[in-house]
Amino acid sequence: MDDIVTPAPSRALNLRRLLAPRHIAVFGGDWAAEAVRQSRRIGFRGEIWPVHPRHETVEGLRCYRSVAELPEAPDASFIAVPRESVPELVAALAGRGGGGVVCFSSGFAEIDGEGAALQKRLTAAAGDMAIIGPNCYGVLNLLDGAALWPDQHGGARVERGAAIITQSGNLGLNLTMQRRSLPLAYLVSVGNMAATGIDELVDALLDDPRVNAIGLHLEGLEDIAGFSRIAIKALERRVPLVVLKSGSSELGAGTTVSHTSSLAGPDDLYEALFQRLGIARVHDPVSLLETLKFLCVHGALPGRRLISASCSGGEATLVADLAEPRGLELPGIPDAARRRLQAALGERVVINNPLDYHTYIWGDLAAQTEVFSAVLDCRFDAHLLVLDLPREDRCSAVPWTTTLEAFIAARREAGAGARATVVSSMAEGLPEPVRERLLAEGIAPMQGIRECLEAVEAAARIGAAQARVAGITPLPAVAPPPAGAVRTLDEWAGKRALAELGLPVPDGEMAGPADAPAVAARLGYPVAVKAACETLVHKTEVGGVKLDLNHADEVLAAVASMRGLSERFLVERMAPEAVAELIIGVRRDPQFGLALTIGAGGILVELLKDAATVLLPASDEEISHALESLRIHPLLRGYRHRPAGDIDAVRQAIAAVMRYAEANLDRLCELDINPLLVLPEGRGVVAVDALVRLYDA
């Protein structure tokens, strides 16, 4: 009978073994001993096997001489040995069927060419084993008590919570020391990511039902398409993603000459990626922690409606001021809740949202409970109580504690459907014991009004993405650009190519110096005359454009003034006066592929920088959202008695540009339509200038 061959575990399965190990092997000296101490400190119940060629014991545990002596293949290994020994050690673990490795050792691709070669050997040696690192701090699993971690940390055991993946070891260490009452389930420091990327880690964490939310600190992503697939999976699983993105690079800057390239840099492309995938972006570690904390308690929100209650008009006003720019709504209080509030507070209190309930009922547990029950009875998307407790070393907190107890009692009465939050105006206004009590009651303890409202807005944005996840498609893999040189079409050729796909352009003809007046007469005055040359990109800056020419002498004079630039000229009929000017551009990025930018156009493009970018292919919803996000958008809708622009024609023009981009997917480097003149409603649009740059096939 043939032997039955058991297939080797996949790398995905091995990664899950590494993150939640049954047993751990540690290799090295003091750093490895610290990993043993930290695992013991947080209560790891599995076996720990130190491996060292000379030591008899490490932290009281028997020390093995080699991988071959281990009782069985370890689920997880922590490696802190000289870099030259790492590939051989990893190969031995792979040969035993080890699950994965945290490689704390440094000196690999982060430093030099020799290190990069060594990292390739490490990756090859690992086979299907998971590798975190090298040059990383490692993994804390605070759910199961495993610390593949060579240092002190501030984590404590939890039953559920947020996972954080960071590309900075020191930032990861700092985040474990947080005093924000975030239930931290995992902390993963990824280092060089020699074999295991961010998307694989997120995928593995999504399979742990104890993870309520995932935070990411990113400097960059290697596999945009793979990451987008996993982000969509997170939406489907209802596990929110929050990202702190730092750093930027000049990807592809050497090939760009268009106005679009000045509007849509690398960070704008990441922003477009996060918008598409329903990932909440924050800009500092505090906001990362506060947003994850809110999501761990309440999850994503179905909408943006909130109510705030406080005993101060100043606090109420502050909430309103900070909510408005974040697109959060403070709707009117429903009639039933309004009647309850008026009865409890009396006629001297005006019932508004935000609610200043004054101090007439201060210290009255029953009255405050009734008020907060009425607030929670609104059943909005979020319900906030603004409350700062006094410092206990100098004051008595008794009256404030009554308010806290009243809110807790109201939350118990309302049930889990009433998303209740206590927010302090200052971080120190909610002491840790109070925060822990609130978490146990299912109430989010938020520190800072701005941070709280940012978290509410993020939760609403994620909720909206979860609702439309069926219509979100992952980004395609990006092929490298062609090896040929980049060729710029002259304006006439570019416009003709775009017009064939439906983009409206002015009536025009090419002409030589002597023919230009006859062409102008045939088109009808007034006309514009432009020097036409493939190497002449920004014509206005060098005097290559003359506008509003009304007779033959003006045309001849214009041509004569531009003879040094070109011997060929584009003569076009002048477009009518516009409601607004837009820019529509597409640029190629080596990581993201093609991206579409829409913004305020004309000669002030770089000065105004009013633009929005979406990644291609893009949905109609994304295009509409991009248009509506522009500061210039009120002009398109009709502003201060000015006529509305033809928005339908704008959308059709954008669609034509996207058709051109799709038809030239493998060749397009970049294009600009600037300006696209938006005429009054019903009269269309006109692309009066076009720049198209293609890679030679």
Side-chain angles (χ1 to χ4, degrees):
M1 183 176 179
D2 294 338
D3 291 338
I4 298 174
V5 178
T6 302
S10 67
R11 192 163 78 179
L13 178 58
N14 281 332
L15 179 56
R16 287 160 178 78
R17 292 171 63 194
L18 172 61
L19 291 174
R22 296 165 298 172
H23 23 63
I24 297 171
V26 298
F27 299 81
D30 292 342
W31 297 111
E34 187 63 41
V36 174
R37 290 192 289 271
Q38 293 304 324
S39 282
R40 282 175 164 174
R41 182 174 74 80
I42 58 174
F44 181 64
R45 296 180 180 178
E47 294 189 70
I48 303 177
W49 303 320
V51 181
H52 197 284
R54 295 184 303 275
H55 294 172
E56 294 296 326
T57 63
V58 170
E59 293 297 309
L61 297 172
R62 173 195 169 183
C63 203
Y64 297 88
R65 300 298 181 198
S66 67
V67 171
E69 290 187 14
L70 291 174
E72 60 181 293
D75 283 340
S77 297
F78 179 83
I79 295 179
V81 301
R83 67 172 186 168
E84 294 80 8
S85 305
V86 172
E88 182 180 357
L89 177 54
V90 168
L93 285 165
R96 283 291 308 267
V101 167
V102 167
C103 186
F104 173 72
S105 306
S106 59
F108 292 86
E110 78 276 7
I111 61 165
D112 55 25
E114 181 182 350
L118 195 63
Q119 184 164 306
K120 288 183 178 179
R121 287 177 51 201
L122 162 63
T123 304
D128 286 328
M129 275 207 313
I131 301 177
I132 294 178
N135 184 39
C136 74
Y137 244 52
V139 176
L140 290 174
N141 175 345
L142 298 166
L143 299 165
D144 305 305
L148 298 154
W149 190 267
D151 202 347
Q152 300 181 84
H153 61 84
R157 292 290 291 273
V158 296
E159 294 182 359
R160 304 179 63 82
I164 296 179
I165 303 168
T166 172
Q167 289 185 274
S168 166
N170 197 59
L171 180 59
L173 177 62
N174 294 343
L175 289 171
T176 73
M177 304 295 180
Q178 54 96 14
R179 297 182 183 180
R180 296 268 168 174
S181 296
L182 170 69
L184 184 60
Y186 289 93
L187 191 291
V188 184
S189 163
V190 296
N192 292 7
M193 293 188 288
T196 304
I198 297 290
D199 53 335
E200 293 172 279
L201 282 164
V202 173
D203 192 19
L205 292 168
L206 288 174
D207 284 340
D208 190 331
R210 300 168 296 177
V211 173
N212 301 115
I214 299 174
L216 307 172
H217 162 249
L218 301 178
E219 295 169 2
L221 289 168
E222 294 294 328
D223 182 1
I224 301 295
F227 179 77
S228 72
R229 288 192 296 272
I230 299 305
I232 292 170
K233 181 178 177 179
L235 289 175
E236 293 169 340
R237 294 281 183 90
R238 299 296 192 263
V239 179
L241 299 183
V242 183
V243 63
L244 170 60
K245 169 69 175 67
S246 61
S248 62
S249 62
E250 294 302 320
L251 299 175
T255 63
T256 57
V257 298
S258 66
H259 292 291
T260 300
S261 63
S262 70
L263 294 177
D267 196 63
D268 297 283
L269 300 178
Y270 274 104
E271 186 68 32
L273 178 71
F274 301 147
Q275 287 280 353
R276 167 173 288 193
L277 299 175
I279 299 173
R281 185 177 188 180
V282 297
H283 296 279
D284 58 74
V286 168
S287 295
L288 176 67
L289 294 168
E290 289 294 311
T291 301
L292 287 172
K293 180 169 58 177
F294 185 90
L295 290 165
C296 280
V297 177
H298 294 315
L301 298 180
R304 294 173 170 266
R305 303 178 308 151
L306 65 90
I307 183 170
S308 168
S310 65
C311 66
S312 161
E315 290 171 341
T317 302
L318 187 57
V319 170
D321 288 347
L322 292 171
E324 183 178 12
R326 290 168 176 80
L328 300 174
E329 303 169 17
L330 290 157
I333 296 174
D335 289 342
R338 178 180 294 276
R339 287 192 294 270
R340 290 179 65 185
L341 288 169
Q342 200 73 76
L345 294 171
E347 296 301 323
R348 289 178 293 177
V349 176
V350 178
I351 308 303
N352 284 326
N353 184 18
L355 174 66
D356 170 13
Y357 63 85
H358 292 259
T359 55
Y360 302 120
I361 59 170
W362 192 247
D364 186 333
L365 178 62
Q368 285 191 305
T369 301
E370 170 62 14
V371 166
F372 299 146
S373 292
V375 167
L376 295 174
D377 192 40
C378 292
R379 297 289 165 165
F380 290 159
D381 302 306
H383 309 80
L384 277 53
L385 170 65
V386 182
L387 181 68
D388 287 73
L389 276 73
R391 49 187 301 166
E392 294 180 342
D393 57 338
R394 300 177 185 175
C395 307
S396 170
V398 172
W400 286 264
T401 302
T402 301
T403 302
L404 199 66
E405 294 297 335
F407 195 68
I408 291 172
R411 162 60 174 75
R412 289 176 178 172
E413 178 186 322
R419 301 174 190 87
T421 297
V422 173
V423 53
S424 59
S425 61
M426 297 178 292
E428 57 269 31
L430 276 186
E432 188 170 17
V434 173
R435 299 197 304 267
E436 297 301 324
R437 170 85 188 284
L438 292 170
L439 281 171
E441 295 287 348
I443 299 171
M446 303 298 290
Q447 295 164 265
I449 296 174
R450 176 182 61 81
E451 291 83 356
C452 177
L453 294 177
E454 286 179 351
V456 172
E457 192 275 331
R461 187 158 12 113
I462 295 169
Q466 289 177 352
R468 58 179 169 83
V469 64
I472 302 175
T473 56
L475 289 168
V478 177
V486 177
R487 176 171 58 91
T488 302
L489 303 185
D490 65 45
E491 185 179 343
W492 171 254
K495 281 181 173 176
R496 295 274 66 78
L498 289 160
E500 288 177 3
L501 293 173
L503 182 70
V505 299
D507 293 336
E509 295 181 29
M510 292 294 290
D515 302 329
V519 170
R522 187 161 55 250
L523 292 172
Y525 290 104
V527 297
V529 177
K530 306 177 184 181
C533 177
E534 290 184 359
T535 60
L536 193 58
V537 177
H538 299 303
K539 297 181 286 294
T540 302
E541 286 84 344
V542 295
V545 179
K546 302 297 180 183
L547 304 177
D548 287 315
L549 308 178
N550 287 290
H551 51 77
D553 291 343
E554 289 183 349
V555 172
L556 287 171
V559 168
S561 70
M562 293 186 283
R563 291 289 291 273
L565 300 174
S566 177
E567 289 298 314
R568 300 170 63 246
F569 300 92
L570 174 57
V571 183
E572 291 181 325
R573 185 173 176 82
M574 287 290 297
E577 185 177 353
V579 170
E581 296 184 358
L582 297 178
I583 180 173
I584 303 173
V586 177
R587 61 168 293 207
R588 179 185 296 275
D589 181 89
Q591 275 193 294
F592 291 86
L594 295 181
L596 172 80
T597 296
I598 308 164
I603 62 173
L604 301 179
V605 167
E606 283 86 358
L607 180 63
L608 295 178
K609 290 191 177 295
D610 176 21
T613 295
V614 296
L615 304 177
L616 295 180
S619 66
D620 292 343
E621 182 181 359
E622 287 177 289
I623 298 302
S624 294
H625 183 269
L627 268 174
E628 292 165 7
S629 71
L630 300 178
R631 295 192 302 274
I632 199 176
H633 187 257
L635 281 179
L636 301 178
R637 300 302 299 261
Y639 185 71
R640 291 194 175 184
H641 308 297
R642 290 171 59 91
D646 199 332
I647 296 179
D648 286 342
V650 172
R651 291 195 178 97
Q652 292 168 17
I654 294 170
V657 170
M658 290 197 296
R659 283 194 294 272
Y660 182 85
E662 183 179 359
N664 294 274
L665 185 63
D666 298 329
R667 300 179 58 218
L668 181 61
C669 174
E670 57 183 337
L671 72 81
D672 265 355
I673 308 300
N674 182 38
L676 178 79
L677 299 185
V678 184
L679 306 181
E681 191 170 10
R683 295 175 57 187
V685 297
V686 181
V688 297
D689 196 5
L691 167 69
V692 178
R693 305 185 73 223
L694 302 171
Y695 289 97
D696 283 334

